[in-house]
Amino acid sequence: MCKHSLSVLGLALVVAHGAHAAEVQVAVAANFTAPMQKIAALFEQDTGHKAVLSFGATGKFYAQIANGAPFGVLLAADDTTPEKIGKEGLGDGATRFTYAIGQLVLWSKQPGYVDAEGKVLAKSDWKHIAIANPKLAPYGLAAMQTLDKLGLTAQVQPRVVTGENIGQTYQFAASGNAPLGFVALSQVMEDGKLREGSAWVVPAGMHEPIRQDAIVLKPGQGNEAAAALMQYLRGDKARAIIKSYGYSF
């Protein structure tokens, strides 16, 4: 085949690929920001479809979705919100699945500050600890369950600085305004390594599992990009990225 024919064939494939490309708006839990940015880039590269990402608190996304926000897919920080959305007819319950299981970590920006067993929690020489609102954020609830398990709730509670979501909680700890913070491992880990500071990875048995579910929402039903993204999240490429940020399945 001549070079001209190859060029025409290549152009035809690009046009065909682009003709089937679709776009979907995706509401993403704040803790999943870094991995989802990487996944979305690969998703577009591999499929031609585009995922337009918005990051925030799952509770706030639910309120927006209930009020008609045009999100096609929700990647929640819990499993209860997608379940509720399915039952209320705001999304397709049959599409719901757990895309990741989150990992709670006690973290400090200071190297050597947090010991490998989290015994720093019992000390009295620190003033503040950042914890996400346990009524709204699954990671905040897991943090309080961990303190209960350790018998430290009454001792630690007066020093808690509450973040609206896990993103704000991380900022409190990262800025040094709180020397300690219960955050998502994905916020401080990349490629299987702690980016900075010191941390205690909380054993899974200290709190209820942080199951993070995805669901196709009403505006995303029939959207080719939404269906393709849900499938892509189950694939090897996406799962390798998810795992590298400390999540399990």
Side-chain angles (χ1 to χ4, degrees):
M1 190 179 288
C2 69
K3 286 185 179 178
H4 177 70
S5 299
L6 284 171
S7 297
V8 171
L9 178 61
L11 181 61
L13 286 171
V14 169
V15 171
H17 188 58
H20 296 289
E23 184 174 291
V24 61
Q25 292 192 46
V26 187
V28 184
N31 73 82
F32 204 63
T33 298
M36 193 57 200
Q37 286 172 333
K38 286 189 176 182
I39 290 168
L42 281 178
F43 172 67
E44 184 171 1
Q45 180 182 303
D46 290 345
T47 68
H49 299 307
K50 186 175 179 65
V52 180
L53 310 177
S54 297
F55 302 101
T58 297
K60 284 199 168 184
F61 279 137
Y62 169 76
Q64 292 170 11
I65 290 160
N67 284 311
F71 296 118
V73 170
L74 170 67
L75 301 186
D78 60 12
D79 56 356
T80 54
T81 302
E83 182 181 18
K84 186 179 180 183
I85 282 171
K87 286 178 178 176
E88 293 177 352
L90 297 170
D92 182 358
T95 64
R96 184 166 66 92
F97 78 101
T98 301
Y99 66 91
I101 296 175
Q103 178 66 66
L104 181 69
V105 63
L106 178 68
W107 179 75
S108 174
K109 191 176 181 180
Q110 295 177 240
Y113 196 83
V114 177
D115 58 283
E117 296 177 354
K119 291 181 179 178
V120 65
L121 285 168
K123 295 182 179 179
S124 57
D125 59 352
W126 50 267
K127 288 186 177 180
H128 300 297
I129 182 169
I131 296 178
N133 186 337
K135 292 179 181 177
L136 300 174
Y139 284 86
L141 177 61
M144 295 311 298
Q145 289 172 345
T146 298
L147 291 174
D148 285 345
K149 195 95 170 179
L150 293 170
L152 294 172
T153 303
Q155 183 179 330
V156 171
Q157 186 72 60
R159 293 180 277 176
V160 170
V161 177
T162 304
E164 183 181 283
N165 56 45
I166 199 66
Q168 187 180 60
T169 305
Y170 169 74
Q171 288 302 325
F172 287 155
S175 65
N177 287 331
L180 291 169
F182 273 113
V183 300
L185 184 57
S186 59
Q187 294 173 300
V188 298
M189 181 181 185
E190 191 169 1
D191 297 327
K193 296 177 183 177
L194 194 66
R195 284 203 308 269
E196 63 175 332
S198 52
W200 170 52
V201 178
V202 179
M206 301 291 283
H207 56 79
E208 292 174 10
I210 306 171
R211 297 188 185 280
Q212 302 195 192
D213 280 11
I215 187 171
V216 174
L217 303 169
K218 208 167 184 180
Q221 290 175 293
N223 181 317
E224 194 178 339
L229 179 62
M230 294 292 273
Q231 185 178 350
Y232 198 82
L233 285 166
R234 290 180 168 95
D236 291 342
K237 282 189 180 180
R239 288 202 155 196
I241 292 170
I242 294 168
K243 194 174 180 181
S244 76
Y245 280 90
Y247 294 95
S248 59
F249 304 102

